[in-house]
Amino acid sequence: MNHTYQSNSQLVNKLQSFGSLVVLSRDFIVVGISESALDANFSKESILGTNFFHSVSDLFGESYMKVKNALNGFIDSQQSSHNLTIKVNKERIYVKLRKHDPFIYLEWERQHKKNIAARKINELNFLLDSIQPNNWDLVCAAVSKLLNYDRVFVLHIQETGYSTVVAEHTVNGKSHFKGKEFSKDFMPEQALEYYKSYSYRYAPHIEIEGQEFYSTDDSIDSLSSLLSPLPELHRLFLKKIGVQSALFFRICIDGDFWGLVVAQNKEKCLVDLQQRKLCTFAIQAAASKYESYIKQNLLERTELLKNAEEELKRSLAENKMVNCALIQHMDILTQLVHADGLAIFNHGDIFNYGHAPNKTQFYEIIQFLQNHTDKAVFKDYNFRLNHQDKFNDKLGFAGLMYLKVGLENDYYIVWFRIENRSQVMQMMLQNTERENKRLKIWEDIRYDVAKPWNDAEINFVLRLNQIIKESIFAKLKERQLLNEELLSLNNELEMFTHTLSHDLKNPLSILKMGIQFLQQHPDNIDLKKINRWYQNFNRSVTNIEDIINNMVQISQHRSSILDKEPISMAYTIQRIFQENSMLYNVNNCQPCFGTLLPIWGEKSAAYQIFSNLIINAIKYSAQSDRPIVTIDSCHENDHTHYQIQDNGIGIPSEQLPHIYEMFTRANNVGSIPGTGIGLSLVKRIMERLGGTIEIESEVGQGTTVHLYFPIVEPFPEQMLVN
């Protein structure tokens, strides 16, 4: 049977030369062979396509039967790999069997050390016992002792594609790579696959030309062989920095590829298979300790998050509004995602904590987010790098993550991370005139990039979103119950109305009848009858009073005092002024806003109060040549004192005592529209909030309204800086 052969063109056409490789089919037909497995008596043509036991049995001399038995047992076993040691011409050989369907890889290399000294083993055991869960420096020291290599370091490959050297040990004690970062180009996908596919990779002779590999099937995956050469980029990199021998040990944490332990030596240095396996064992033990350390930290963090969640739930339940609870815990919300700053946007109001943008820039950020993404959770550790050109001023942060609360684009919790500036090693392959490749290496400072948001931090934000949703749902149910109660109150009010109209008829009829009787008989009624009628009048009036008092008492018992919470007023007041200036077409009315402090109140009630008063100020100052409305506030005797002042028509002094009466208006309002209800309503709401209202006014000089809101307890600190 004639067989064709070809160089393996799928991945490489060369292998490293420190060992030999034969690839077999399941029926032991040779489908691939390395150059070093051939000798003067055999050619590739005579071997490829033949039965392994017939054509290459002489390769293993007196150990042929041992290899054959191992192969026969291995093919039927559940094992994926198997190792054995044999002697060929008095030389000890390591033989490795490995399954990679549909092929079997038979690989062998010389033994360089008969055994490892007991002293080395003891040193290793001591180092393994002394290695702390998160101390990769000691791991590097242990590997260095076993290999006698110049430099050993740990390379952590981040989810961003960048690689960071987190630990290093050198023979001369001078750190070379520790703390340095490699660009994404250093670990392309092909390189990652190369290091993931084997527990370690070994390159004892960087400079030596590799050996040819011949096959009849180009689907053979050379990555399954330890002889597979280093990625060209890494080979050129090692050559560039003067390294002749290198080892790369895979680190897996919780089943995922985490990084590499890299050992480098300036001189060519052969490392026996036993030493490599011992290093692999040491690194796996260290990785196992590190994994336990991570899991313990995760348990502690889970407990911390659980406590934080319970605290947030309690606060959300105690506060009428979600926003108030979140503002009170801005420090916790910032710490739990390891952010540098936090800002909350709620219907135009802004609250900042830590390293966060100013209000003007934050409004721009919110507008940008509203226009560019509708995701509930969004993260970008390169936000400044990617979007700086969309903003007027330079962003003071590099990374951003937000949570959109609810379905509308009017409530955001936004976290910020500052720039994590680092020096990055960049590299690029260049073609030369001789068609050889040359590696260019340089270092850049990486700007505008923050530490990425990890899965644990994102999971907390998702959990926070769920907690807020549950709280909002609970409050909606409370509101539904309140609406049902209000409906019941309205029904009772209708009943009260009917009761009053019915029950007052009788005493009123008696009063009317008695008055008519007395008017018709002014002269001929004796004193006893007059006294009797007066007694009837008195009883009727008493009955009327009792009926009214009873109705009022029932009404007062059923109407609850308004629930109060800290409310930021700055944005609300400015919005009320802007909207009503347009509504009443008083565009020349100028606002003068001083300090606009938060108040303890109820949001809708606060809106009614300020809306009525600002509308009055705008309307009644509109006729001035230069209408001005001034709004300021301060803290005064455990109250938040607000002043709303206009330069309008004013109120006549004789009518000031009656301004809170329903449907009462001053006699100088002329054609200015109004119902006379506003101030009466404001006074009643202020009383329900436990506050007071006072008004000063002079005709032609304007009006000043003083509002005093009691401070229930100290305001959240962030409310006072906005």
Side-chain angles (χ1 to χ4, degrees), residues 175 183 214 331 348 374 408 440 567 641 689 716:
S175 178
S183 68
Y214 311 102
D331 54 342
D374 58 356
E408 302 297 329
K440 180 182 178 183
I567 304 169
H641 175 198
L689 289 172

Side-chain angles (χ1 to χ4, degrees), residues 151-196:
R151 178 168 54 235
V152 180
F153 60 88
V154 174
L155 188 72
H156 174 39
I157 301 165
Q158 304 169 18
E159 62 179 33
T160 61
Y162 285 82
S163 307
T164 306
V165 177
V166 298
E168 183 178 22
H169 177 85
T170 59
V171 173
N172 60 15
K174 294 181 180 179
S175 178
H176 185 73
F177 285 122
K178 189 171 183 179
K180 285 193 175 181
E181 197 167 12
F182 292 86
S183 68
K184 296 178 182 179
D185 297 329
F186 186 67
M187 274 292 174
E189 191 59 36
Q190 298 89 334
L192 289 174
E193 288 302 317
Y194 176 79
Y195 293 111
K196 285 179 183 179

Side-chain angles (χ1 to χ4, degrees), residues 147-336:
L147 300 179
N148 293 319
Y149 267 37
D150 298 326
R151 178 168 54 235
V152 180
F153 60 88
V154 174
L155 188 72
H156 174 39
I157 301 165
Q158 304 169 18
E159 62 179 33
T160 61
Y162 285 82
S163 307
T164 306
V165 177
V166 298
E168 183 178 22
H169 177 85
T170 59
V171 173
N172 60 15
K174 294 181 180 179
S175 178
H176 185 73
F177 285 122
K178 189 171 183 179
K180 285 193 175 181
E181 197 167 12
F182 292 86
S183 68
K184 296 178 182 179
D185 297 329
F186 186 67
M187 274 292 174
E189 191 59 36
Q190 298 89 334
L192 289 174
E193 288 302 317
Y194 176 79
Y195 293 111
K196 285 179 183 179
S197 60
Y198 222 91
S199 58
Y200 69 89
R201 289 294 181 179
Y202 177 42
H205 308 298
I206 300 295
E207 295 282 0
I208 293 178
E209 188 73 17
Q211 60 177 313
E212 292 288 340
F213 177 71
Y214 311 102
S215 73
T216 58
D217 190 334
D218 62 1
S219 68
I220 294 173
D221 181 10
S222 67
L223 285 182
S224 294
S225 169
L226 186 60
L227 300 176
S228 183
L230 294 177
E232 185 176 23
L233 176 74
H234 292 178
R235 185 181 65 80
L236 291 173
F237 174 71
L238 293 172
K239 187 176 177 181
K240 185 94 172 177
I241 63 174
V243 171
Q244 292 293 322
S245 295
L247 269 158
F248 303 83
F249 298 93
R250 181 181 64 193
I251 303 174
C252 289
I253 304 296
D254 202 19
D256 294 325
F257 183 58
W258 185 89
L260 295 166
V261 174
V262 182
Q264 298 174 345
N265 203 62
K266 292 180 181 179
E267 304 295 332
K268 295 173 185 175
C269 182
L270 293 172
V271 178
D272 190 77
L273 179 65
Q274 292 183 70
Q275 289 175 280
R276 286 177 252 150
K277 285 190 169 294
L278 204 55
C279 287
T280 303
F281 169 72
I283 290 163
Q284 288 174 345
S288 178
K289 279 191 175 183
Y290 184 67
E291 189 173 309
S292 299
Y293 164 78
I294 289 176
K295 288 180 177 178
Q296 181 60 37
N297 278 359
L298 187 60
L299 286 173
E300 293 173 2
R301 181 171 174 78
T302 300
E303 186 64 26
L304 180 67
L305 290 177
K306 184 179 177 182
N307 294 336
E309 285 178 9
E310 292 301 321
E311 178 64 25
L312 282 169
K313 284 180 180 178
R314 280 196 299 272
S315 188
L316 286 165
E318 291 169 1
N319 286 277
K320 187 176 180 183
M321 301 297 291
V322 168
N323 195 51
C324 183
L326 295 178
I327 292 169
Q328 290 174 342
H329 294 88
M330 290 181 80
D331 54 342
I332 295 175
L333 294 176
T334 305
Q335 293 164 13
L336 289 178

